[in-house]
Every structure is written in structure tokens, then in C-alpha cells.
Amino acid sequence: MQLSASIFKAYDIRGIVPSTIDEAVAEALGRAFGTVARSEGETTVAVGRDGRLSGPGLSAALVRGLVASGIEVIDVGMVTTPMLYFAASTLCTSGIQVTGSHNPKDYNGFKMVMGGRAIYGEEIQALRRMMEGESWSLLPGGKIREVNLLEAYAARIVGDIRLARPIKVVVDCGNGIAGASAPAILRAIGCEVTELYSEVDGNFPNHHPDPSKPENLRDLIAALKAGGAELGLAFDGDGDRLGIVTKQGNNIYPDRQMMLFAQDVLSRAPGGTILFDVKCSQRLAPAIEAAGGKPLMFKTGHSLIKAKMKEVNSPLGGEMSGHIFFKERWFGFDDGTYAGCRLLEILSKSPDANAVLDALPTSFSTPELNVKCAEGEPHILVDKLVAGANFPAPAVLCTIDGLRVDWPDGFGLIRASNTTPVLVMRFEGHTPEALHRIETQMLALLRTVKPGAVLDEASH
């Protein structure tokens, strides 16, 4: 089988429909995934899809492939990615979500769970080789049953969350799949909800469903300023990431959300190890320590964070991109709706939610910056940067994922993206002067290995 190698990413399979991903690719993936699942003793696989226009066709083809390999498919229909993870945590232990996440509307792809773990890296390449060689095993006995998950999923969240008082919120689902479930769940926990763009529409007619980009929060900020709501919540296209905006229009980035979540979780899991990725603020680790926890910085990537959390038995993890993983009271997978509910539970204990959020430690930082590179170039450049980095004390170097240099008053990060051929950079300073100094020093180092580097603001 002829496949485009570029669709097999570090954490998922993703491409443009129909040029690099079509129904033949989806069916072949079903056959390969089903073969590997059976070899691991798995007999059942849940399948869901987000609200993209190509979803029904790709999902049906994927199911055909799984059934041909002898798998019993639980078809959960049109759901958020976290709802598919919920199915693979409660009904079975393997699943595939057909989703293009926050990518443009002509993209689609597959996020996969096998035997309770998110698969990534070499396991995804092994599926590619099986698909190319058509070396799958087809068996009789495959079948399909349809399950509507929403009631069980909503009941699990509503049964877990206790608001101390009702909160008025504006929710922007960006016409992504979260619109079909999140507003109702927020009402059920006791919120008064004003909805923006809840109608699921794979054309994304209003704005792109990616809350990590400030331009996608404009309508939410306007609605907050116009109405009497206390807080704004925004979801990405497949519902696994959350954006939070205050009444004043301040974006509370995920590393600051993690300070609140860590404090709360550690009150019930004292001494716990709290995981976060290398893009997070320097202010996060001291906040975790102050709350009695052990901070652990790790590589970026939702599959990598989930695997590391299992290894160190962590009750909570989070990424700057907006993936928040609760193991305490939850299943350990990233879920924008559940994270939003947990945040509202914490904030409801205070008479002024905005005062709590605005009081979180903050710094001056750049948005995420990207430098476009040739395919394969970013990792080579990072190796050169690490070899050439010579920052005198008090600078502290971390090379777990690219090069992160921490000074007493801020940090700089240059790492290779695992999903696209770019260098990812982020700079933070406790003062504007510190930010400028750190950015200047890190860019000077970058230009020793890539003299013509051009910086763009990242799109997640």
C-alpha cells in the first residue's frame, strides 16, 4: 500500500483529506490496529469521531477494517476525544478517535489508545509498516455495537463536582464537537451558561476552534465585557484542551491554571509528584513546592506526559498547550470539559473568581515562537545548540527536551517540535528587562547554528 509517511506523527496520525488521508488509509489502519490489538489480547476497540465533515466516511472505513481483523467495535458516534478516552477507560481498554483536533477544516486524523495507554512514536511507525506491507491478519467474528456515552460520561462528571455557589460563565465551543456536551454538563453542575458557537459545524464558520490563539478568543472576551458573566471558557476542536478568560479579558494560560489545580489536588494527595512540560512558567515549580508537592518537569507531548504520570504515580499533570491530566478523582486522561469543571469548583469557594485568577504568580513572556526548518533539521539544530551552549552560572541548563536555560529571573527554551518541522521557542522574564536579555542571549545562540532564522508566532 502506498502511504504518505508525513501523516504518521509522534503522537497520532494526521493529514489532509483526501490527499494524504482517505477511506482506504482509514480501513488499512483499522486492519493493522486490530491485528496489533489482538496480539496483545485485546478483543474490543471503541471508535469515536469529532464534528469534521470527513468524519463519518473515515470512521465507517476504520470500523470496517477493525471488524475485518476480528475485533468487536463499540461505535460511540460523534463525541469529544475525552469521551472516546472515557469509553476506553470504562467500556474497554482500547480506542481510536477520528479527529483533526484544532487543525484547519480539511485535516483529519486518528488518536489511539491501546490496552490503556496512548500509543506514540515507534508504535505508530510499526502500524505504518504493517499498513504498507499489508501484513495484517484478518479473522472472522468481528462485530459492531453502538453505544451512546453521553449520559454515563455526564453523570460521572456531575457526580464528582461540587460548586460552592452558582457561577455565570460564557462558553465558546468554536463550532467544535464540545458544543454537543460541554454546555449541558456545565449547567448540570450549577453554572448559568451563555453559549457561543455550540452548533457542531465542521466548516468552523465563526473562528478556528483553537483557544491557544488570542484571535480566537475575541468573541468570548466581547461577550464577557457585554454581559454579567464572571468567567469565559473556550474549547478546542476535539474538546481535550481548555482556554480560560477573566472578566477583564485576561487569558489565564495553562501553566497558571496548573498552580491552582496543584494546590487543590495536593490538599488531598499531599507530597504528590506534579508533572508539567518544559514550556511551562518558571513560577510553576515553586508554587507546587509551596503547596507540598514535588514538581517534575518533563518532555512536551500528551502521550509522553501520560506515560510518565503512570510511571511516577502522579495525581496531576499539565502542558502549556492546554492538555490537563487529572488522575486524582478522574482517569488520568486530558479533558477540557472536566478540567473546566474542576477549575469552577475551586473558584466557586471564593466570592470573586477573577481576584483568585489575577492573583496567581505571573511573569513577562513571549508567545510561543516558531522557526520553520527543513524536514529532519530541527533535531540536528537542537543537538548543535546543546553542544554549543555555554552559559555561566547562575544559569542552569536542562536538556530533557531541547535546550531550556533557567536564570534566577527567567528562562529561555528552544526545542524541536515532534509534529511539524519547526523549532519551538519560548522566553520568560520576571521583568521586561530580564525577558529582553534572555531572548537576546538565546537568539544569539540560535543564530550560531541557523544564521537566517526567521521567527513566527506559533499556531498550536
Side-chain angles (χ1 to χ4, degrees):
M1 182 177 193
Q2 287 290 299
L3 292 167
S4 168
S6 68
I7 66 175
F8 296 88
K9 310 289 186 188
Y11 318 120
D12 54 26
I13 296 171
R14 197 168 64 240
I16 296 170
V17 181
S19 57
T20 58
I21 285 185
D22 59 15
E23 292 179 21
V25 171
E27 186 163 352
L29 174 64
R31 291 176 170 205
F33 188 93
T35 301
V36 175
R38 288 191 66 94
S39 75
E40 293 195 10
E42 298 283 299
T43 57
T44 310
V45 176
V47 173
R49 59 181 165 86
D50 69 12
R52 285 171 187 263
L53 305 176
S54 58
L58 291 176
S59 178
L62 176 70
V63 169
R64 281 198 302 275
L66 287 164
V67 169
S69 66
I71 290 287
E72 179 186 353
V73 174
I74 301 175
D75 184 352
V76 295
M78 198 162 73
V79 293
T80 64
T81 295
M83 285 171 73
L84 183 276
Y85 294 155
F86 179 79
S89 302
T90 57
L91 302 175
C92 56
T93 54
S94 296
I96 303 177
Q97 173 78 347
V98 180
T99 176
S101 189
H102 53 273
N103 289 98
K105 66 179 185 181
D106 53 347
Y107 279 70
N108 216 328
F110 309 92
K111 290 183 180 177
M112 297 164 284
V113 177
M114 176 90 70
R117 66 183 190 280
I119 69 167
Y120 60 92
E122 176 50 37
E123 289 185 280
I124 290 177
Q125 294 306 318
L127 287 171
R128 173 176 73 96
R129 290 190 292 272
M130 186 178 285
M131 290 163 72
E132 283 171 340
E134 300 184 13
S135 55
W136 46 63
S137 306
L138 303 185
L139 290 166
K143 54 181 190 245
I144 307 168
R145 63 185 167 105
E146 293 182 1
V147 173
N148 186 338
L149 267 187
L150 183 56
E151 197 176 323
Y153 170 76
R156 175 63 178 79
I157 296 178
V158 174
D160 179 70
I161 300 291
R162 292 282 173 273
L163 294 194
R165 63 179 177 86
I167 297 185
K168 282 187 184 180
V169 294
V170 182
V171 177
D172 184 343
C173 295
N175 301 106
I177 186 60
S181 55
I185 290 171
L186 289 164
R187 285 193 181 96
I189 66 164
C191 292
E192 190 179 314
V193 181
T194 301
E195 297 182 45
L196 295 179
Y197 318 136
S198 294
E199 186 189 345
V200 179
D201 183 346
N203 287 306
F204 307 126
N206 294 291
H207 64 74
H208 203 57
D210 182 0
S212 66
K213 303 291 285 173
E215 64 268 24
N216 298 324
L217 299 173
R218 282 186 201 131
D219 295 351
L220 182 59
I221 290 168
L224 275 168
K225 289 185 173 163
E230 213 171 328
L231 213 59
L233 283 74
F235 295 99
D236 78 334
D238 67 334
D240 58 5
R241 293 188 297 135
L242 170 74
I244 295 287
V245 178
T246 67
K247 179 90 179 137
Q248 291 72 38
N250 297 326
N251 188 349
I252 305 296
Y253 286 99
D255 51 358
R256 291 179 78 204
Q257 295 173 31
M258 279 291 290
M259 296 174 192
L260 269 188
F261 290 141
Q263 226 172 10
D264 177 59
V265 167
L266 289 164
S267 71
R268 292 178 299 275
T273 299
I274 308 296
L275 234 72
F276 55 93
D277 76 325
V278 292
K279 294 185 197 171
C280 285
S281 169
Q282 197 181 57
R283 305 279 198 185
L284 179 53
I288 292 167
E289 284 172 342
K294 299 185 190 76
L296 179 59
M297 187 160 70
F298 198 58
K299 301 172 185 181
T300 293
H302 70 95
S303 303
L304 306 178
I305 296 269
K306 276 184 263 206
K308 188 70 175 176
M309 282 178 70
K310 274 189 182 169
E311 182 193 316
V312 301
N313 195 23
S314 165
L316 173 70
E319 286 192 286
M320 191 61 192
S321 60
H323 294 275
I324 309 282
F325 314 89
F326 288 93
K327 184 72 178 108
E328 191 252 356
R329 291 168 45 186
W330 192 242
F331 300 92
F333 59 73
D334 37 335
D335 185 335
T337 300
Y338 182 71
C341 291
R342 286 284 289 254
L343 185 79
L344 292 166
E345 181 182 78
I346 295 165
L347 295 173
S348 74
K349 294 171 188 168
S350 162
D352 185 348
N354 287 275
V356 175
L357 293 171
D358 288 332
L360 293 169
T362 188
S363 292
F364 299 88
S365 62
T366 61
E368 192 175 303
L369 303 167
N370 282 353
V371 174
K372 288 194 179 75
C373 299
E375 198 72 52
E377 185 188 14
H379 288 281
I380 295 164
L381 291 175
V382 164
D383 289 344
K384 288 181 180 172
L385 286 170
V386 169
N390 183 19
F391 294 100
V396 178
L397 273 61
C398 171
T399 57
I400 193 168
D401 182 2
L403 175 66
R404 175 167 163 150
V405 186
D406 279 82
W407 286 269
D409 57 355
F411 81 91
L413 170 73
I414 306 178
R415 63 178 287 275
S417 167
N418 287 316
T419 51
T420 42
V422 297
L423 288 174
V424 175
M425 294 182 297
R426 190 160 182 262
F427 309 112
E428 174 184 277
H430 295 191
T431 63
E433 296 74 22
L435 172 61
H436 179 69
R437 186 195 80 238
I438 289 166
E439 187 169 2
T440 303
Q441 283 184 260
M442 294 296 284
L443 291 177
L445 176 65
L446 172 65
R447 296 210 158 98
T448 64
V449 299
K450 192 169 175 66
V454 178
L455 276 64
D456 295 315
E457 258 193 56
S459 54
H460 270 292

